Amino acid sequence: MSEPAKHITTARCSCGSVELEATGAPILGAACYCDDCQAGARQIEALPDALPVRDPDGGTAYLLYRKDRLRCSKGDQLLQGHKIRETSPTSRVVAACCNSAMFLRFDGGPHWVSVYRARFEGDAPPLQMRINTKFKPGNGDVPSDVPSYSTFPLRFVAKLVAAKIAMLLRR
């Protein structure tokens, strides 16, 4: 008996020259309001012809995928990393063809990649939480469509740990 085929979701840059394929469901869908996500978004949004990275309320929406379940299927040579500081442990990766924010990766770090949710066309997997809301810019309220947390909640960390265990067990 063969294994059932895993669902593949495609993320594309705005001009279609770069494509990422994500296999299976994401670990988590979250919007982050931390200072680094805001600074990184401003940096990308300042690039020529770049689309907005932040949601209207200031959060940056991501879908977190295991590294072993994400691959660039088209345009790998067009991906460029941008750091908000020279010593930053993260790079925000942009499709140089159209300056579309594609994903955030940790240099030599964790087992996941945070793909910008806006890059998924159609019915992108939903957000499950809003994190680091204590850094939210402006005076407005945080949307109440999903649970919000002022920092990284235990639920967030638990999902990442569970994904690492599954990855180690090759599941």
Side-chain angles (χ1 to χ4, degrees):
M1 187 179 238
S2 65
E3 266 187 57
K6 298 230 182 213
H7 178 72
I8 294 178
T9 306
T10 303
R12 290 182 181 85
C13 68
S14 61
C15 75
S17 296
V18 175
E19 291 184 356
L20 306 175
E21 288 184 352
T23 303
I27 299 167
L28 179 71
C32 185
Y33 295 82
C34 78
D35 290 340
D36 282 355
C37 283
Q38 290 180 55
R42 284 191 300 272
Q43 182 184 44
I44 294 168
E45 290 168 348
L47 296 171
D49 301 318
L51 297 173
V53 175
R54 293 168 288 179
D55 293 334
D57 68 338
T60 302
Y62 298 103
L63 295 174
L64 284 63
Y65 281 93
R66 289 173 24 181
K67 282 184 178 178
D68 65 341
R69 293 196 174 169
L70 184 73
R71 72 178 193 92
C72 184
S73 57
K74 180 181 172 185
D76 187 50
Q77 73 281 3
L78 296 170
L79 295 174
Q80 291 183 340
H82 294 262
K83 290 188 173 285
I84 55 173
R85 292 176 300 281
E86 190 175 310
T87 59
S88 179
T90 58
S91 293
R92 281 149 179 87
V93 179
V94 171
C97 46
C98 57
N99 288 324
S100 293
M102 297 300 293
F103 58 90
L104 179 147
R105 72 170 170 232
F106 291 85
D107 302 338
H111 58 282
W112 75 89
V113 176
S114 301
V115 182
Y116 290 94
R117 187 172 181 269
R119 301 285 33 106
F120 291 91
E121 296 175 348
D123 292 330
L127 287 181
Q128 295 166 286
M129 64 179 65
R130 297 180 185 280
I131 58 174
N132 296 311
T133 57
K134 69 181 179 183
F135 299 104
K136 183 189 177 306
N139 298 328
D141 293 329
V142 174
S144 60
D145 55 341
V146 294
S148 296
Y149 304 93
S150 63
T151 60
F152 291 103
L154 180 58
R155 180 175 163 217
F156 179 90
V157 175
K159 284 185 171 277
L160 292 175
V161 169
K164 178 66 174 183
I165 292 168
M167 197 170 163
L168 291 171
L169 296 173
R170 298 179 190 255
R171 293 187 179 164

